[in-house]
Amino acid sequence: MPIELVGCTLEEIESALAPLGEPRYRALQIARWIYQRRVAHFNEMTDLSQQLRERLEEAATLMRLRMAARSDAPNDLTTKFLLDLPDGLAIETVLMGFDDGRRSVCVSTQVGCGMGCTFCATGMAGLVRNLTAGEIVDQVLLVRSETDERITHVVFMGMGEPLANYDATLRAARLLNAPYGPNIGMRHMTISTVGLVPQIRRLAEERLQLTLAVSLHAPDDELRSQLVPVNRRWPLAELLAATRDYADATGRRVTFEYVLMHGVNDRDDQARQLAVLLSGSGAHVNVIPWNPVHGLQYARPPVHAVHRFAALVRRGGVSATVRLDRGVDIQAACGQLQRIRAAGVLA
Ligand code: SAH
Ligand code: SF4
C-alpha cells in the first residue's frame, strides 16, 4: 500500500524515505512541497531527481481536497468554500478577513457531528465520519492557495466536534504550527469544544498554547442539558473545573461561547447567573446571536437584547463581548454549515 504523505510529520516522511535509500534532508524538501506549496503531484517537486520522483509516485500518494464551490459574502470579508473529500463526501471551510489584517480560517474536523445540540445545523444529520489530519490541514492550504492570503489564524469551529476527533485535530494543529508548514503560532489557533471533559483534561496535559473555547449556552444544568445533550454526561461543575485546570496548566485565558436564543437563554437573570458562574475565573464570554437554521424553531434576539445581555455579564464582573455576525448572508456563520448543499443554495 502506498503511504499517504499529507498529514505526515517531517519525521514520518523521513521514515518513509529510509527504504528508498534517500538522505534525511530530502524529507524537509518534500515536507515543504507538501505543506508550503501544496503540490498535488510528485513530478512538481522540481528539486528532486527524476528518479526519486518516479519512485515516490509508486510508494506514496498526495491527498488533496477539491474545491467544488466558493461564495464570497457581499458585506464582509467572508468566503465560504465547499470542498470535496476523496471519498465523495463534502465539507465546508470559511475564510474570515478582518480590518486589522488578520486572516482566519475556520476548519471542519468531522463530516457532520454526533453531539446533537438542538440549535445547530451540523448536528442535524449526525456524525458521518472523522476527518483525517491531512484533510483538516489541507483546508487551510487550499484556502491559502485559492485566495493568495497569508493565513494568520485557524479556528477549529467548523463542522464537527474537534475533541471527538482528538488525535487528528492535535496532529493538524501541530502540522499547521510546524516550521516546514504554514508556521501558524499555537496562540493563533483556537479549538472550540462542546465540553468533552476527559479530552479537555488530556489537552491540558499537552501543555500547548492553544486557545480553548468552550460552548456553554446556558447558566444552569437543566437548560444546558436540553440544549447540549453532552451536559448530562459532564455537567457544568465538572466542565468548569476542567476549564479552570486548562487555564492553570497553560496560562491561557479560556473563552466561553454563549449562543443567544430569544426566550430560551437570553433573560436578564440568566446573564447575571452566568456572571456568577464564571466570576473570578478570568474567562471571557463571547455572546453570539443565534444564526437561523432552516427547520429549527429558535429565534434570534433583537440586537439591543444581545448587547444588553453582554453588558449584564460585564456588570457581573466577567469580560464579555458580542461576536458580530459574519457571512450570514452566505450561510457561512456559526452553526449554519452543511445544510446548504441539501438546500441547493450555494452559488
Ligand atoms: N463542536 C464545536 C465546534 C463547532 S460549533 C462546538 O460546539 O463548540 C462552533 C460554534 O458554533 C459553537 O459555539 C456552537 O455552539 C455554535 N453554533 C452552533 N449552531 C449555531 C447557530 N445556529 N447560531 C450560532 N452559533 C451556533
Ligand atoms: Fe456538534 Fe458543535 Fe453543532 Fe453541537 S454545536 S452539534 S458539538 S458542531
Side-chain angles (χ1 to χ4, degrees):
M1 265 295 275
I3 174 173
E4 174 53 62
L5 292 187
V6 182
C8 283
T9 62
L10 177 63
E11 294 70 30
E12 289 164 344
I13 298 171
E14 282 173 359
S15 314
L17 284 182
L20 304 181
E22 290 292 329
R24 289 165 69 98
Y25 65 83
R26 290 262 178 263
L28 184 56
Q29 284 170 272
I30 294 169
R32 289 190 177 135
W33 282 112
I34 293 174
Y35 295 114
Q36 291 179 344
R37 282 177 266 189
R38 194 173 181 257
V39 299
H41 305 285
F42 290 106
N43 61 19
E44 294 171 67
M45 299 183 177
T46 48
D47 56 1
L48 305 183
S49 71
Q50 184 64 31
Q51 190 200 13
L52 175 56
R53 286 186 252 166
E54 281 166 17
R55 288 164 75 190
L56 283 169
E57 206 73 61
E58 286 162 24
T61 50
L62 294 174
M63 183 286 309
R64 293 302 179 191
L65 302 173
R66 205 181 59 79
M67 187 172 79
R70 161 181 178 161
S71 58
D72 293 273
N75 302 324
D76 56 40
L77 293 170
T78 304
T79 303
K80 183 170 69 172
F81 298 87
L82 179 66
L83 306 179
D84 285 335
L85 301 168
D87 62 2
L89 294 169
I91 52 166
E92 289 175 323
T93 303
V94 181
L95 169 67
M96 295 169 287
F98 298 86
D99 291 341
D100 61 5
R102 277 180 299 145
R103 294 292 179 269
S104 181
V105 178
C106 177
V107 296
S108 295
T109 54
Q110 298 183 310
V111 182
C113 179
M115 299 296 140
C117 303
T118 55
F119 50 87
C120 171
T122 304
M124 290 172 79
L127 175 66
V128 181
R129 75 163 169 88
N130 281 331
L131 296 184
T132 65
E135 289 165 339
I136 299 171
V137 169
D138 202 41
Q139 295 171 57
V140 178
L141 307 182
L142 180 145
V143 170
R144 189 178 55 174
S145 70
E146 287 296 330
T147 61
D148 270 337
E149 296 279 9
R150 197 176 75 83
I151 306 304
T152 60
H153 292 71
V154 173
V155 293
F156 294 78
M157 286 190 189
M159 296 161 56
E161 166 52 38
L163 296 188
N165 186 12
Y166 188 94
D167 292 341
T169 295
L170 265 282
R171 173 182 276 266
R174 290 191 162 105
L175 288 168
L176 290 167
N177 177 243
Y180 52 84
N183 202 0
I184 297 166
M186 284 287 178
R187 286 168 174 251
H188 286 188
M189 292 193 248
T190 300
I191 293 187
S192 176
T193 178
V194 70
L196 305 183
V197 166
Q199 285 91 328
I200 292 172
R201 295 197 172 284
R202 195 174 154 198
L203 190 62
E205 282 164 23
E206 313 261 359
R207 296 289 193 274
L208 298 173
Q209 288 292 295
L210 290 165
T211 302
L212 183 68
V214 176
S215 294
L216 209 59
H217 313 322
D220 64 84
D221 277 318
E222 193 187 343
L223 179 59
R224 190 164 192 270
S225 292
Q226 283 170 28
L227 299 172
V228 180
V230 301
N231 191 69
R232 292 172 207 152
R233 181 77 178 76
W234 295 291
L236 282 170
E238 279 182 54
L239 175 58
L240 295 177
T243 58
R244 270 193 297 275
D245 291 347
Y246 183 87
D248 289 345
T250 60
R252 304 284 291 148
R253 176 163 95 153
V254 174
T255 299
F256 289 95
E257 291 159 288
Y258 194 103
V259 172
L260 269 196
M261 291 162 264
H262 197 41
V264 176
N265 63 356
D266 66 343
R267 291 195 317 265
D268 288 0
D269 63 291
Q270 288 167 315
R272 292 190 194 100
Q273 203 180 341
L274 181 64
V276 170
L277 200 65
L278 300 179
S279 76
S281 67
H284 177 80
V285 177
N286 248 327
V287 180
I288 309 158
W290 183 72
N291 293 310
V293 175
H294 188 72
L296 295 182
Q297 299 305 316
Y298 295 101
R300 195 181 161 82
V303 180
H304 68 84
V306 178
H307 287 288
R308 180 182 170 83
F309 191 92
L312 285 170
V313 175
R314 282 195 297 272
R315 195 175 297 167
V318 175
S319 100
T321 45
V322 172
R323 190 196 287 163
L324 294 172
D325 292 326
R326 304 186 59 94
V328 176
D329 22 354
I330 55 166
Q331 305 259 312
C334 288
Q336 290 185 312
L337 299 184
Q338 191 49 41
R339 296 277 296 165
I340 293 81
R341 187 169 242 187
V345 179
L346 192 93

